[in-house]
Amino acid sequence: MTTTTAPSPVLEANGVTMRFGGLTAVRSVDLTVNSGEIVGLIGPNGAGKTTFFNCLTGLYVPTEGTVSYKGTVLPPKPHLVTSAGIARTFQNIRLFANMTVLENVLVGRHTRTKEGLWSALLRGPGFRKAEAASHERAMELLEFIGLAHKADHLSRNLPYGEQRKLEIARALASEPGLLLLDEPTAGMNPQETRATEELVFAIRDQGIAVLVIEHDMRFIFNLCDRVACLVQGEKLVEGTSEVVQGDERVVAAYLGTPFEGAPGADELAEVEAAEASGAQSTTSTEGKAQ
């Protein structure tokens, strides 16, 4: 006899709400990602997808609701979320342009390096061993994404599609149990998109659950086990690709056709402005921290 293990929840978002002043960008969203799953998050511009991602990864503190990873509620601090086991990429590539491909991946290893300040300054045996292990793991990841031969190249000199791959490798360097991808195929040609699809499948096959935002419907429906659609910050529908594609409300939302309870253009514009304002304040905070 063979026994099968039921998938266990990796991510559980319960009642996540995010308000910017009097504007609600995300409203009471529930979402679960199980082990071994690829889940997609879709929705028209201004739907609150990136705001929801930012709530999951600690960049925003949700106004209401909780986010749990493997049963433990996450603290609203990005570095603690990464340490717990969640990694992400961004819609706008955030590589260190003047660092090599290898150095960018090594940056992602810092949450898994246990050596302290004095060990690094004195460069003792423990530090050298950890450094060698990080280098070996970084090269394994570059081999995995097909960029080992460019380890010494500056990241700014990589073609766009390879920069996207490098950002994924840097996220994987933190050894996550869940990877969040924010529009990973944005700006890619069909060949690059197909390569990204194969890469995400390979990541899932390594035991890492994936949650992905994407505007390319062909990509998302080919890739995902389940898809959730947000409209004006609310989850409109969730299910298999077939269920979501066949939902008239989803079609209406993307075509701009009004349906009962649909947000108006002014409301959508307010949500987009709030998300942009939140992104700018996050970037400003990051700059000060650096």
mmCIF file with all atom_site columns, all heavy atoms in Angstrom, residues 14 20 25 48 61 69 74 82 89 101 106 125-127 129 152 166-167 209 227 233 239 245 249 259 278-279 285:
data_model
loop_
_atom_site.group_PDB
_atom_site.id
_atom_site.type_symbol
_atom_site.label_atom_id
_atom_site.label_alt_id
_atom_site.label_comp_id
_atom_site.label_asym_id
_atom_site.label_entity_id
_atom_site.label_seq_id
_atom_site.pdbx_PDB_ins_code
_atom_site.Cartn_x
_atom_site.Cartn_y
_atom_site.Cartn_z
_atom_site.occupancy
_atom_site.B_iso_or_equiv
_atom_site.pdbx_formal_charge
_atom_site.auth_seq_id
_atom_site.auth_comp_id
_atom_site.auth_asym_id
_atom_site.auth_atom_id
_atom_site.pdbx_PDB_model_num
ATOM 1   N N   . ASN A 1 14  ? -5.374  35.805 6.149   1.00 0.00 ? 14  ASN A N   1
ATOM 2   C CA  . ASN A 1 14  ? -6.746  35.812 6.659   1.00 0.00 ? 14  ASN A CA  1
ATOM 3   C C   . ASN A 1 14  ? -7.233  37.239 6.882   1.00 0.00 ? 14  ASN A C   1
ATOM 4   O O   . ASN A 1 14  ? -6.674  37.975 7.707   1.00 0.00 ? 14  ASN A O   1
ATOM 5   C CB  . ASN A 1 14  ? -6.825  35.037 7.982   1.00 0.00 ? 14  ASN A CB  1
ATOM 6   C CG  . ASN A 1 14  ? -6.486  33.573 7.811   1.00 0.00 ? 14  ASN A CG  1
ATOM 7   O OD1 . ASN A 1 14  ? -7.090  32.886 7.003   1.00 0.00 ? 14  ASN A OD1 1
ATOM 8   N ND2 . ASN A 1 14  ? -5.514  33.087 8.573   1.00 0.00 ? 14  ASN A ND2 1
ATOM 9   N N   . PHE A 1 20  ? -5.070  53.190 2.999   1.00 0.00 ? 20  PHE A N   1
ATOM 10  C CA  . PHE A 1 20  ? -4.211  54.368 2.909   1.00 0.00 ? 20  PHE A CA  1
ATOM 11  C C   . PHE A 1 20  ? -5.100  55.566 3.216   1.00 0.00 ? 20  PHE A C   1
ATOM 12  O O   . PHE A 1 20  ? -5.854  56.028 2.358   1.00 0.00 ? 20  PHE A O   1
ATOM 13  C CB  . PHE A 1 20  ? -3.603  54.513 1.517   1.00 0.00 ? 20  PHE A CB  1
ATOM 14  C CG  . PHE A 1 20  ? -2.699  53.369 1.126   1.00 0.00 ? 20  PHE A CG  1
ATOM 15  C CD1 . PHE A 1 20  ? -3.165  52.347 0.314   1.00 0.00 ? 20  PHE A CD1 1
ATOM 16  C CD2 . PHE A 1 20  ? -1.385  53.318 1.562   1.00 0.00 ? 20  PHE A CD2 1
ATOM 17  C CE1 . PHE A 1 20  ? -2.342  51.306 -0.056  1.00 0.00 ? 20  PHE A CE1 1
ATOM 18  C CE2 . PHE A 1 20  ? -0.549  52.280 1.201   1.00 0.00 ? 20  PHE A CE2 1
ATOM 19  C CZ  . PHE A 1 20  ? -1.025  51.270 0.391   1.00 0.00 ? 20  PHE A CZ  1
ATOM 20  N N   . ALA A 1 25  ? -7.338  49.874 -0.181  1.00 0.00 ? 25  ALA A N   1
ATOM 21  C CA  . ALA A 1 25  ? -6.714  49.308 -1.376  1.00 0.00 ? 25  ALA A CA  1
ATOM 22  C C   . ALA A 1 25  ? -6.862  47.797 -1.431  1.00 0.00 ? 25  ALA A C   1
ATOM 23  O O   . ALA A 1 25  ? -6.903  47.202 -2.510  1.00 0.00 ? 25  ALA A O   1
ATOM 24  C CB  . ALA A 1 25  ? -5.237  49.688 -1.426  1.00 0.00 ? 25  ALA A CB  1
ATOM 25  N N   . GLY A 1 48  ? -5.032  46.112 -6.544  1.00 0.00 ? 48  GLY A N   1
ATOM 26  C CA  . GLY A 1 48  ? -4.451  45.934 -5.212  1.00 0.00 ? 48  GLY A CA  1
ATOM 27  C C   . GLY A 1 48  ? -3.508  44.757 -5.101  1.00 0.00 ? 48  GLY A C   1
ATOM 28  O O   . GLY A 1 48  ? -3.121  44.361 -3.996  1.00 0.00 ? 48  GLY A O   1
ATOM 29  N N   . VAL A 1 61  ? 2.332   47.073 6.854   1.00 0.00 ? 61  VAL A N   1
ATOM 30  C CA  . VAL A 1 61  ? 1.671   46.460 8.001   1.00 0.00 ? 61  VAL A CA  1
ATOM 31  C C   . VAL A 1 61  ? 0.168   46.490 7.718   1.00 0.00 ? 61  VAL A C   1
ATOM 32  O O   . VAL A 1 61  ? -0.419  47.574 7.623   1.00 0.00 ? 61  VAL A O   1
ATOM 33  C CB  . VAL A 1 61  ? 1.968   47.232 9.304   1.00 0.00 ? 61  VAL A CB  1
ATOM 34  C CG1 . VAL A 1 61  ? 1.255   46.574 10.474  1.00 0.00 ? 61  VAL A CG1 1
ATOM 35  C CG2 . VAL A 1 61  ? 3.462   47.310 9.552   1.00 0.00 ? 61  VAL A CG2 1
ATOM 36  N N   . TYR A 1 69  ? 2.974   31.953 8.075   1.00 0.00 ? 69  TYR A N   1
ATOM 37  C CA  . TYR A 1 69  ? 3.828   31.068 7.289   1.00 0.00 ? 69  TYR A CA  1
ATOM 38  C C   . TYR A 1 69  ? 4.023   29.778 8.072   1.00 0.00 ? 69  TYR A C   1
ATOM 39  O O   . TYR A 1 69  ? 4.535   29.792 9.190   1.00 0.00 ? 69  TYR A O   1
ATOM 40  C CB  . TYR A 1 69  ? 5.178   31.732 7.004   1.00 0.00 ? 69  TYR A CB  1
ATOM 41  C CG  . TYR A 1 69  ? 6.156   30.836 6.267   1.00 0.00 ? 69  TYR A CG  1
ATOM 42  C CD1 . TYR A 1 69  ? 5.970   30.544 4.918   1.00 0.00 ? 69  TYR A CD1 1
ATOM 43  C CD2 . TYR A 1 69  ? 7.254   30.274 6.918   1.00 0.00 ? 69  TYR A CD2 1
ATOM 44  C CE1 . TYR A 1 69  ? 6.851   29.719 4.246   1.00 0.00 ? 69  TYR A CE1 1
ATOM 45  C CE2 . TYR A 1 69  ? 8.139   29.452 6.243   1.00 0.00 ? 69  TYR A CE2 1
ATOM 46  C CZ  . TYR A 1 69  ? 7.931   29.178 4.903   1.00 0.00 ? 69  TYR A CZ  1
ATOM 47  O OH  . TYR A 1 69  ? 8.815   28.353 4.241   1.00 0.00 ? 69  TYR A OH  1
ATOM 48  N N   . LEU A 1 74  ? 3.409   36.011 10.909  1.00 0.00 ? 74  LEU A N   1
ATOM 49  C CA  . LEU A 1 74  ? 4.657   36.692 10.569  1.00 0.00 ? 74  LEU A CA  1
ATOM 50  C C   . LEU A 1 74  ? 4.715   38.094 11.162  1.00 0.00 ? 74  LEU A C   1
ATOM 51  O O   . LEU A 1 74  ? 3.712   38.817 11.158  1.00 0.00 ? 74  LEU A O   1
ATOM 52  C CB  . LEU A 1 74  ? 4.798   36.799 9.048   1.00 0.00 ? 74  LEU A CB  1
ATOM 53  C CG  . LEU A 1 74  ? 5.014   35.482 8.295   1.00 0.00 ? 74  LEU A CG  1
ATOM 54  C CD1 . LEU A 1 74  ? 4.877   35.716 6.794   1.00 0.00 ? 74  LEU A CD1 1
ATOM 55  C CD2 . LEU A 1 74  ? 6.386   34.908 8.620   1.00 0.00 ? 74  LEU A CD2 1
ATOM 56  N N   . THR A 1 82  ? 11.747  37.270 5.475   1.00 0.00 ? 82  THR A N   1
ATOM 57  C CA  . THR A 1 82  ? 12.724  36.517 4.673   1.00 0.00 ? 82  THR A CA  1
ATOM 58  C C   . THR A 1 82  ? 13.372  35.420 5.506   1.00 0.00 ? 82  THR A C   1
ATOM 59  O O   . THR A 1 82  ? 13.531  34.282 5.046   1.00 0.00 ? 82  THR A O   1
ATOM 60  C CB  . THR A 1 82  ? 13.803  37.463 4.123   1.00 0.00 ? 82  THR A CB  1
ATOM 61  O OG1 . THR A 1 82  ? 13.183  38.483 3.336   1.00 0.00 ? 82  THR A OG1 1
ATOM 62  C CG2 . THR A 1 82  ? 14.797  36.709 3.249   1.00 0.00 ? 82  THR A CG2 1
ATOM 63  N N   . THR A 1 89  ? 10.489  38.580 -5.591  1.00 0.00 ? 89  THR A N   1
ATOM 64  C CA  . THR A 1 89  ? 11.080  39.460 -6.581  1.00 0.00 ? 89  THR A CA  1
ATOM 65  C C   . THR A 1 89  ? 10.136  40.647 -6.742  1.00 0.00 ? 89  THR A C   1
ATOM 66  O O   . THR A 1 89  ? 9.003   40.634 -6.237  1.00 0.00 ? 89  THR A O   1
ATOM 67  C CB  . THR A 1 89  ? 11.265  38.757 -7.934  1.00 0.00 ? 89  THR A CB  1
ATOM 68  O OG1 . THR A 1 89  ? 9.971   38.419 -8.464  1.00 0.00 ? 89  THR A OG1 1
ATOM 69  C CG2 . THR A 1 89  ? 12.105  37.497 -7.783  1.00 0.00 ? 89  THR A CG2 1
ATOM 70  N N   . VAL A 1 101 ? 27.314  39.198 -11.124 1.00 0.00 ? 101 VAL A N   1
ATOM 71  C CA  . VAL A 1 101 ? 26.209  38.256 -11.035 1.00 0.00 ? 101 VAL A CA  1
ATOM 72  C C   . VAL A 1 101 ? 26.350  37.405 -9.771  1.00 0.00 ? 101 VAL A C   1
ATOM 73  O O   . VAL A 1 101 ? 25.391  37.228 -9.001  1.00 0.00 ? 101 VAL A O   1
ATOM 74  C CB  . VAL A 1 101 ? 26.193  37.366 -12.301 1.00 0.00 ? 101 VAL A CB  1
ATOM 75  C CG1 . VAL A 1 101 ? 25.250  36.183 -12.127 1.00 0.00 ? 101 VAL A CG1 1
ATOM 76  C CG2 . VAL A 1 101 ? 25.798  38.198 -13.525 1.00 0.00 ? 101 VAL A CG2 1
ATOM 77  N N   . LEU A 1 106 ? 25.147  36.204 -3.783  1.00 0.00 ? 106 LEU A N   1
ATOM 78  C CA  . LEU A 1 106 ? 25.710  36.109 -2.435  1.00 0.00 ? 106 LEU A CA  1
ATOM 79  C C   . LEU A 1 106 ? 25.007  37.040 -1.454  1.00 0.00 ? 106 LEU A C   1
ATOM 80  O O   . LEU A 1 106 ? 24.877  36.715 -0.274  1.00 0.00 ? 106 LEU A O   1
ATOM 81  C CB  . LEU A 1 106 ? 27.212  36.427 -2.470  1.00 0.00 ? 106 LEU A CB  1
ATOM 82  C CG  . LEU A 1 106 ? 28.104  35.343 -3.082  1.00 0.00 ? 106 LEU A CG  1
ATOM 83  C CD1 . LEU A 1 106 ? 29.529  35.863 -3.262  1.00 0.00 ? 106 LEU A CD1 1
ATOM 84  C CD2 . LEU A 1 106 ? 28.107  34.093 -2.201  1.00 0.00 ? 106 LEU A CD2 1
ATOM 85  N N   . PRO A 1 125 ? 38.454  30.796 10.959  1.00 0.00 ? 125 PRO A N   1
ATOM 86  C CA  . PRO A 1 125 ? 38.090  29.566 10.244  1.00 0.00 ? 125 PRO A CA  1
ATOM 87  C C   . PRO A 1 125 ? 36.586  29.430 10.005  1.00 0.00 ? 125 PRO A C   1
ATOM 88  O O   . PRO A 1 125 ? 36.162  28.976 8.948   1.00 0.00 ? 125 PRO A O   1
ATOM 89  C CB  . PRO A 1 125 ? 38.609  28.471 11.172  1.00 0.00 ? 125 PRO A CB  1
ATOM 90  C CG  . PRO A 1 125 ? 39.690  29.112 11.969  1.00 0.00 ? 125 PRO A CG  1
ATOM 91  C CD  . PRO A 1 125 ? 39.264  30.528 12.159  1.00 0.00 ? 125 PRO A CD  1
ATOM 92  N N   . GLY A 1 126 ? 35.801  29.828 11.010  1.00 0.00 ? 126 GLY A N   1
ATOM 93  C CA  . GLY A 1 126 ? 34.345  29.722 10.863  1.00 0.00 ? 126 GLY A CA  1
ATOM 94  C C   . GLY A 1 126 ? 33.831  30.591 9.736   1.00 0.00 ? 126 GLY A C   1
ATOM 95  O O   . GLY A 1 126 ? 32.964  30.181 8.954   1.00 0.00 ? 126 GLY A O   1
ATOM 96  N N   . PHE A 1 127 ? 34.378  31.813 9.652   1.00 0.00 ? 127 PHE A N   1
ATOM 97  C CA  . PHE A 1 127 ? 33.943  32.724 8.606   1.00 0.00 ? 127 PHE A CA  1
ATOM 98  C C   . PHE A 1 127 ? 34.350  32.204 7.232   1.00 0.00 ? 127 PHE A C   1
ATOM 99  O O   . PHE A 1 127 ? 33.556  32.232 6.288   1.00 0.00 ? 127 PHE A O   1
ATOM 100 C CB  . PHE A 1 127 ? 34.550  34.112 8.827   1.00 0.00 ? 127 PHE A CB  1
ATOM 101 C CG  . PHE A 1 127 ? 34.260  35.078 7.704   1.00 0.00 ? 127 PHE A CG  1
ATOM 102 C CD1 . PHE A 1 127 ? 33.030  35.722 7.634   1.00 0.00 ? 127 PHE A CD1 1
ATOM 103 C CD2 . PHE A 1 127 ? 35.199  35.322 6.711   1.00 0.00 ? 127 PHE A CD2 1
ATOM 104 C CE1 . PHE A 1 127 ? 32.748  36.597 6.597   1.00 0.00 ? 127 PHE A CE1 1
ATOM 105 C CE2 . PHE A 1 127 ? 34.925  36.196 5.666   1.00 0.00 ? 127 PHE A CE2 1
ATOM 106 C CZ  . PHE A 1 127 ? 33.699  36.837 5.617   1.00 0.00 ? 127 PHE A CZ  1
ATOM 107 N N   . LYS A 1 129 ? 34.862  29.140 6.315   1.00 0.00 ? 129 LYS A N   1
ATOM 108 C CA  . LYS A 1 129 ? 34.048  27.980 5.973   1.00 0.00 ? 129 LYS A CA  1
ATOM 109 C C   . LYS A 1 129 ? 32.663  28.412 5.478   1.00 0.00 ? 129 LYS A C   1
ATOM 110 O O   . LYS A 1 129 ? 32.149  27.882 4.478   1.00 0.00 ? 129 LYS A O   1
ATOM 111 C CB  . LYS A 1 129 ? 33.915  27.071 7.196   1.00 0.00 ? 129 LYS A CB  1
ATOM 112 C CG  . LYS A 1 129 ? 33.135  25.791 6.930   1.00 0.00 ? 129 LYS A CG  1
ATOM 113 C CD  . LYS A 1 129 ? 33.085  24.911 8.182   1.00 0.00 ? 129 LYS A CD  1
ATOM 114 C CE  . LYS A 1 129 ? 32.296  23.631 7.905   1.00 0.00 ? 129 LYS A CE  1
ATOM 115 N NZ  . LYS A 1 129 ? 32.235  22.766 9.119   1.00 0.00 ? 129 LYS A NZ  1
ATOM 116 N N   . ASP A 1 152 ? 31.033  36.262 -13.281 1.00 0.00 ? 152 ASP A N   1
ATOM 117 C CA  . ASP A 1 152 ? 31.905  37.416 -13.067 1.00 0.00 ? 152 ASP A CA  1
ATOM 118 C C   . ASP A 1 152 ? 31.474  38.647 -13.854 1.00 0.00 ? 152 ASP A C   1
ATOM 119 O O   . ASP A 1 152 ? 32.153  39.682 -13.802 1.00 0.00 ? 152 ASP A O   1
ATOM 120 C CB  . ASP A 1 152 ? 33.350  37.049 -13.431 1.00 0.00 ? 152 ASP A CB  1
ATOM 121 C CG  . ASP A 1 152 ? 33.922  35.976 -12.512 1.00 0.00 ? 152 ASP A CG  1
ATOM 122 O OD1 . ASP A 1 152 ? 33.523  35.946 -11.333 1.00 0.00 ? 152 ASP A OD1 1
ATOM 123 O OD2 . ASP A 1 152 ? 34.749  35.168 -12.972 1.00 0.00 ? 152 ASP A OD2 1
ATOM 124 N N   . LEU A 1 166 ? 18.310  36.359 -12.749 1.00 0.00 ? 166 LEU A N   1
ATOM 125 C CA  . LEU A 1 166 ? 19.244  36.613 -11.655 1.00 0.00 ? 166 LEU A CA  1
ATOM 126 C C   . LEU A 1 166 ? 18.507  37.054 -10.399 1.00 0.00 ? 166 LEU A C   1
ATOM 127 O O   . LEU A 1 166 ? 18.854  36.645 -9.283  1.00 0.00 ? 166 LEU A O   1
ATOM 128 C CB  . LEU A 1 166 ? 20.268  37.668 -12.071 1.00 0.00 ? 166 LEU A CB  1
ATOM 129 C CG  . LEU A 1 166 ? 21.283  38.084 -11.004 1.00 0.00 ? 166 LEU A CG  1
ATOM 130 C CD1 . LEU A 1 166 ? 22.057  36.880 -10.458 1.00 0.00 ? 166 LEU A CD1 1
ATOM 131 C CD2 . LEU A 1 166 ? 22.247  39.134 -11.568 1.00 0.00 ? 166 LEU A CD2 1
ATOM 132 N N   . GLU A 1 167 ? 17.469  37.857 -10.561 1.00 0.00 ? 167 GLU A N   1
ATOM 133 C CA  . GLU A 1 167 ? 16.714  38.291 -9.391  1.00 0.00 ? 167 GLU A CA  1
ATOM 134 C C   . GLU A 1 167 ? 16.032  37.091 -8.719  1.00 0.00 ? 167 GLU A C   1
ATOM 135 O O   . GLU A 1 167 ? 15.945  37.021 -7.495  1.00 0.00 ? 167 GLU A O   1
ATOM 136 C CB  . GLU A 1 167 ? 15.673  39.337 -9.790  1.00 0.00 ? 167 GLU A CB  1
ATOM 137 C CG  . GLU A 1 167 ? 15.061  40.038 -8.576  1.00 0.00 ? 167 GLU A CG  1
ATOM 138 C CD  . GLU A 1 167 ? 14.134  41.176 -8.933  1.00 0.00 ? 167 GLU A CD  1
ATOM 139 O OE1 . GLU A 1 167 ? 13.431  41.058 -9.950  1.00 0.00 ? 167 GLU A OE1 1
ATOM 140 O OE2 . GLU A 1 167 ? 14.123  42.162 -8.194  1.00 0.00 ? 167 GLU A OE2 1
ATOM 141 N N   . ALA A 1 209 ? 6.958   26.293 -2.812  1.00 0.00 ? 209 ALA A N   1
ATOM 142 C CA  . ALA A 1 209 ? 5.663   26.789 -3.271  1.00 0.00 ? 209 ALA A CA  1
ATOM 143 C C   . ALA A 1 209 ? 5.849   28.158 -3.913  1.00 0.00 ? 209 ALA A C   1
ATOM 144 O O   . ALA A 1 209 ? 6.782   28.901 -3.566  1.00 0.00 ? 209 ALA A O   1
ATOM 145 C CB  . ALA A 1 209 ? 4.684   26.873 -2.103  1.00 0.00 ? 209 ALA A CB  1
ATOM 146 N N   . VAL A 1 227 ? -5.931  29.943 -9.366  1.00 0.00 ? 227 VAL A N   1
ATOM 147 C CA  . VAL A 1 227 ? -5.803  31.368 -9.677  1.00 0.00 ? 227 VAL A CA  1
ATOM 148 C C   . VAL A 1 227 ? -6.853  32.133 -8.877  1.00 0.00 ? 227 VAL A C   1
ATOM 149 O O   . VAL A 1 227 ? -8.010  31.701 -8.779  1.00 0.00 ? 227 VAL A O   1
ATOM 150 C CB  . VAL A 1 227 ? -6.001  31.644 -11.184 1.00 0.00 ? 227 VAL A CB  1
ATOM 151 C CG1 . VAL A 1 227 ? -5.908  33.145 -11.472 1.00 0.00 ? 227 VAL A CG1 1
ATOM 152 C CG2 . VAL A 1 227 ? -4.967  30.878 -12.014 1.00 0.00 ? 227 VAL A CG2 1
ATOM 153 N N   . GLY A 1 233 ? -9.323  45.520 -4.933  1.00 0.00 ? 233 GLY A N   1
ATOM 154 C CA  . GLY A 1 233 ? -8.862  45.073 -3.633  1.00 0.00 ? 233 GLY A CA  1
ATOM 155 C C   . GLY A 1 233 ? -9.634  43.924 -3.016  1.00 0.00 ? 233 GLY A C   1
ATOM 156 O O   . GLY A 1 233 ? -9.280  43.464 -1.933  1.00 0.00 ? 233 GLY A O   1
ATOM 157 N N   . GLY A 1 239 ? -10.112 29.711 -8.099  1.00 0.00 ? 239 GLY A N   1
ATOM 158 C CA  . GLY A 1 239 ? -10.335 28.340 -8.527  1.00 0.00 ? 239 GLY A CA  1
ATOM 159 C C   . GLY A 1 239 ? -9.316  27.919 -9.561  1.00 0.00 ? 239 GLY A C   1
ATOM 160 O O   . GLY A 1 239 ? -8.268  28.563 -9.729  1.00 0.00 ? 239 GLY A O   1
ATOM 161 N N   . GLN A 1 245 ? -11.245 31.457 -15.885 1.00 0.00 ? 245 GLN A N   1
ATOM 162 C CA  . GLN A 1 245 ? -11.407 31.924 -17.263 1.00 0.00 ? 245 GLN A CA  1
ATOM 163 C C   . GLN A 1 245 ? -12.873 31.982 -17.675 1.00 0.00 ? 245 GLN A C   1
ATOM 164 O O   . GLN A 1 245 ? -13.273 32.829 -18.484 1.00 0.00 ? 245 GLN A O   1
ATOM 165 C CB  . GLN A 1 245 ? -10.667 30.996 -18.230 1.00 0.00 ? 245 GLN A CB  1
ATOM 166 C CG  . GLN A 1 245 ? -9.163  31.117 -18.174 1.00 0.00 ? 245 GLN A CG  1
ATOM 167 C CD  . GLN A 1 245 ? -8.493  30.192 -19.177 1.00 0.00 ? 245 GLN A CD  1
ATOM 168 O OE1 . GLN A 1 245 ? -8.341  30.532 -20.341 1.00 0.00 ? 245 GLN A OE1 1
ATOM 169 N NE2 . GLN A 1 245 ? -8.091  29.009 -18.724 1.00 0.00 ? 245 GLN A NE2 1
ATOM 170 N N   . ARG A 1 249 ? -17.621 37.638 -14.571 1.00 0.00 ? 249 ARG A N   1
ATOM 171 C CA  . ARG A 1 249 ? -17.180 38.840 -13.854 1.00 0.00 ? 249 ARG A CA  1
ATOM 172 C C   . ARG A 1 249 ? -15.709 39.127 -14.120 1.00 0.00 ? 249 ARG A C   1
ATOM 173 O O   . ARG A 1 249 ? -15.292 40.286 -14.196 1.00 0.00 ? 249 ARG A O   1
ATOM 174 C CB  . ARG A 1 249 ? -17.422 38.673 -12.356 1.00 0.00 ? 249 ARG A CB  1
ATOM 175 C CG  . ARG A 1 249 ? -18.886 38.559 -11.948 1.00 0.00 ? 249 ARG A CG  1
ATOM 176 C CD  . ARG A 1 249 ? -19.014 38.125 -10.510 1.00 0.00 ? 249 ARG A CD  1
ATOM 177 N NE  . ARG A 1 249 ? -18.399 36.822 -10.298 1.00 0.00 ? 249 ARG A NE  1
ATOM 178 C CZ  . ARG A 1 249 ? -18.201 36.280 -9.093  1.00 0.00 ? 249 ARG A CZ  1
ATOM 179 N NH1 . ARG A 1 249 ? -18.553 36.951 -8.002  1.00 0.00 ? 249 ARG A NH1 1
ATOM 180 N NH2 . ARG A 1 249 ? -17.642 35.088 -8.986  1.00 0.00 ? 249 ARG A NH2 1
ATOM 181 N N   . PHE A 1 259 ? -20.150 45.712 -14.116 1.00 0.00 ? 259 PHE A N   1
ATOM 182 C CA  . PHE A 1 259 ? -21.053 44.689 -13.597 1.00 0.00 ? 259 PHE A CA  1
ATOM 183 C C   . PHE A 1 259 ? -21.525 45.156 -12.233 1.00 0.00 ? 259 PHE A C   1
ATOM 184 O O   . PHE A 1 259 ? -21.021 46.140 -11.699 1.00 0.00 ? 259 PHE A O   1
ATOM 185 C CB  . PHE A 1 259 ? -20.347 43.325 -13.495 1.00 0.00 ? 259 PHE A CB  1
ATOM 186 C CG  . PHE A 1 259 ? -19.091 43.354 -12.663 1.00 0.00 ? 259 PHE A CG  1
ATOM 187 C CD1 . PHE A 1 259 ? -19.127 43.117 -11.301 1.00 0.00 ? 259 PHE A CD1 1
ATOM 188 C CD2 . PHE A 1 259 ? -17.858 43.625 -13.259 1.00 0.00 ? 259 PHE A CD2 1
ATOM 189 C CE1 . PHE A 1 259 ? -17.971 43.132 -10.543 1.00 0.00 ? 259 PHE A CE1 1
ATOM 190 C CE2 . PHE A 1 259 ? -16.693 43.649 -12.500 1.00 0.00 ? 259 PHE A CE2 1
ATOM 191 C CZ  . PHE A 1 259 ? -16.751 43.411 -11.139 1.00 0.00 ? 259 PHE A CZ  1
ATOM 192 N N   . GLY A 1 278 ? 2.484   54.477 -1.926  1.00 0.00 ? 278 GLY A N   1
ATOM 193 C CA  . GLY A 1 278 ? 3.061   53.521 -0.986  1.00 0.00 ? 278 GLY A CA  1
ATOM 194 C C   . GLY A 1 278 ? 4.388   53.000 -1.460  1.00 0.00 ? 278 GLY A C   1
ATOM 195 O O   . GLY A 1 278 ? 5.328   52.835 -0.686  1.00 0.00 ? 278 GLY A O   1
ATOM 196 N N   . ALA A 1 279 ? 4.516   52.738 -2.783  1.00 0.00 ? 279 ALA A N   1
ATOM 197 C CA  . ALA A 1 279 ? 5.772   52.251 -3.345  1.00 0.00 ? 279 ALA A CA  1
ATOM 198 C C   . ALA A 1 279 ? 6.866   53.295 -3.217  1.00 0.00 ? 279 ALA A C   1
ATOM 199 O O   . ALA A 1 279 ? 8.019   53.002 -2.893  1.00 0.00 ? 279 ALA A O   1
ATOM 200 C CB  . ALA A 1 279 ? 5.576   51.870 -4.810  1.00 0.00 ? 279 ALA A CB  1
ATOM 201 N N   . THR A 1 285 ? 12.224  54.931 2.207   1.00 0.00 ? 285 THR A N   1
ATOM 202 C CA  . THR A 1 285 ? 12.665  54.322 3.461   1.00 0.00 ? 285 THR A CA  1
ATOM 203 C C   . THR A 1 285 ? 13.860  53.431 3.236   1.00 0.00 ? 285 THR A C   1
ATOM 204 O O   . THR A 1 285 ? 14.823  53.432 4.004   1.00 0.00 ? 285 THR A O   1
ATOM 205 C CB  . THR A 1 285 ? 11.523  53.503 4.085   1.00 0.00 ? 285 THR A CB  1
ATOM 206 O OG1 . THR A 1 285 ? 10.405  54.370 4.292   1.00 0.00 ? 285 THR A OG1 1
ATOM 207 C CG2 . THR A 1 285 ? 11.944  52.895 5.399   1.00 0.00 ? 285 THR A CG2 1
#
